[in-house]
């Protein structure tokens, strides 16, 4: 299976209006969307569109109505005139744990014959709203850099008139994702996710569950706790 786990940590470093830093250990799953049914059949504690210890629901992403995510991604690419023959889509996100998840950022990697052609960044806020930023990928460099204007309210501490600067590489043995938010003066926030690849299995999911119990609940709690500190 190409679906795998990335175990690592997330950091946030804020530069204004106040300097603030926090970090927490976590793990994400890079789902090959074509393998969700197989994961459901082969791993007893994982379900697709059904409740379990770990689960993945279509309604957590895309149009949020439970419809097929592969078709949703392809329609988005068409809307942006990115006419690739996409044969594989992978999604990096947190899984549901005991039915709950919050994904501040989910990343769709879109492949044409094993060549990465496009990336979709799906950003959510704590009001259950989301916006997706769509980019094509130039394969001239191992490091992918992309920039766009912020079009979606996320934090009460950051104005809308800012830029997102994405810097990442294609997932392999490791992931490293850097997002820098800037305004006309300079840096406002730098967020980073780093992880090391693990094969997905019943045993590996159980190990990560006991090392990070109720991880998805803790993420939401941490967001509000850090906001109160600010």
């Amino acid at each position: 299976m190409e679906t795998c786990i990335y175990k690592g940590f997330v950091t946030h470093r804020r530069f204004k209006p106040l300097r603030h830093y926090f970090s927490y250990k976590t793990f994400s799953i890079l789902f090959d969307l074509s393998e969700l049914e197989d994961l459901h059949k082969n791993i007893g504690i994982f379900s697709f569109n059904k409740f379990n210890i770990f689960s993945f629901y279509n309604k957590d992403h895309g149009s949020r109505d439970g419809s097929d995510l592969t078709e949703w991604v392809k329609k988005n690419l068409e809307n942006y005139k990115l006419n690739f023959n996409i044969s594989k889509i992978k999604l990096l996100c947190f899984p549901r744990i005991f039915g709950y998840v919050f994904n501040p950022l989910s990343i769709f990697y879109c492949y044409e014959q094993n060549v990465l052609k496009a990336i979709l960044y799906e950003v959510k806020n704590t009001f259950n709203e989301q916006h997706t930023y769509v980019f094509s990928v130039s394969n001239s460099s191992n490091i992918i850099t992309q920039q766009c204007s912020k079009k979606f309210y996320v934090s009460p501490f950051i104005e809308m008139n800012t830029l997102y600067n994405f810097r990442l590489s294609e997932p392999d043995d490791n992931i490293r994702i850097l997002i820098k938010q800037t305004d006309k003066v300079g840096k406002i926030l730098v967020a980073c996710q780093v992880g090391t690849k693990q094969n997905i299995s019943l045993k590996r999911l159980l190990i990560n569950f006991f090392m990070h119990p109720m991880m998805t609940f803790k993420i939401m709690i941490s967001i509000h706790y850090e906001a109160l500190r600010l």
Side-chain angles (χ1 to χ4, degrees):
M1 281 193 167
E2 295 198 31
T3 298
C4 60
I5 299 168
Y6 283 100
K7 181 177 173 60
F9 59 89
V10 172
T11 64
H12 279 246
R13 189 178 298 276
R14 189 182 296 270
F15 295 88
K16 58 182 181 179
L18 295 171
R19 287 188 172 269
H20 185 66
Y21 172 84
F22 68 92
S23 175
Y24 55 88
K25 294 180 180 180
T26 187
F27 70 94
S28 299
I29 299 181
L30 181 67
F31 290 100
D32 184 323
L33 296 185
S34 68
E35 295 178 346
L36 288 168
E37 291 286 358
D38 291 332
L39 290 167
H40 176 89
K41 293 175 184 177
N42 297 326
I43 299 179
I45 60 171
F46 176 86
S47 291
F48 176 38
N49 287 328
K50 290 184 179 179
F51 179 84
N52 207 328
I53 296 175
F54 292 94
S55 56
F56 179 95
Y57 281 73
N58 281 341
K59 66 181 180 181
D60 292 332
H61 303 279
S63 58
R64 308 292 292 277
D65 59 3
S67 58
D68 184 81
L69 290 177
T70 297
E71 292 304 313
W72 176 83
V73 168
K74 290 181 178 179
K75 286 180 182 178
N76 266 272
L77 295 177
E78 290 175 5
N79 290 340
Y80 280 81
K81 311 300 182 185
L82 301 178
N83 299 312
F84 303 121
N85 184 21
I86 298 301
S87 56
K88 179 167 54 182
I89 299 170
K90 296 182 180 182
L91 171 58
L92 181 70
C93 63
F94 297 126
R96 284 195 182 206
I97 298 178
F98 286 117
Y100 181 78
V101 71
F102 175 67
N103 276 291
L105 174 67
S106 307
I107 304 177
F108 292 87
Y109 300 87
C110 308
Y111 294 84
E112 181 182 81
Q113 300 299 322
N114 293 318
V115 177
L116 183 61
K117 289 292 187 178
I119 293 178
L120 283 69
Y121 302 93
E122 186 180 75
V123 179
K124 292 183 176 70
N125 63 22
T126 55
F127 299 101
N128 203 32
E129 300 168 329
Q130 74 178 39
H131 182 80
T132 303
Y133 301 90
V134 181
F135 293 91
S136 62
V137 173
S138 171
N139 295 298
S140 59
S141 173
N142 291 328
I143 302 299
I144 301 163
T145 57
Q146 294 160 331
Q147 185 185 77
C148 64
S149 298
K150 179 182 176 181
K151 300 183 182 300
F152 173 66
Y153 171 85
V154 177
S155 169
F157 303 103
I158 299 177
E159 299 293 333
M160 281 293 295
N161 189 24
T162 61
L163 295 174
Y164 283 129
N165 302 270
F166 301 98
R167 181 180 176 88
L168 70 165
S169 58
E170 186 176 346
D172 49 26
D173 290 338
N174 299 280
I175 57 165
R176 185 174 179 84
I177 301 159
L178 183 73
I179 304 171
K180 180 169 66 174
Q181 198 165 351
T182 59
D183 59 14
K184 294 179 180 179
V185 178
K187 290 185 293 187
I188 301 172
L189 175 84
V190 175
C192 183
Q193 180 178 357
V194 175
T196 302
K197 183 178 179 180
Q198 299 176 336
N199 292 329
I200 193 166
S201 66
L202 172 62
K203 177 181 177 181
R204 187 57 61 184
L205 282 174
L206 282 172
I207 290 171
N208 280 295
F209 173 75
F210 285 110
M211 292 184 69
H212 307 280
M214 313 308 288
M215 176 187 71
T216 52
F217 293 94
K218 289 182 177 180
I219 290 169
M220 181 62 83
I221 292 169
S222 295
I223 289 170
H224 287 93
Y225 172 70
E226 298 299 338
L228 283 171
R229 289 182 64 195
L230 280 169

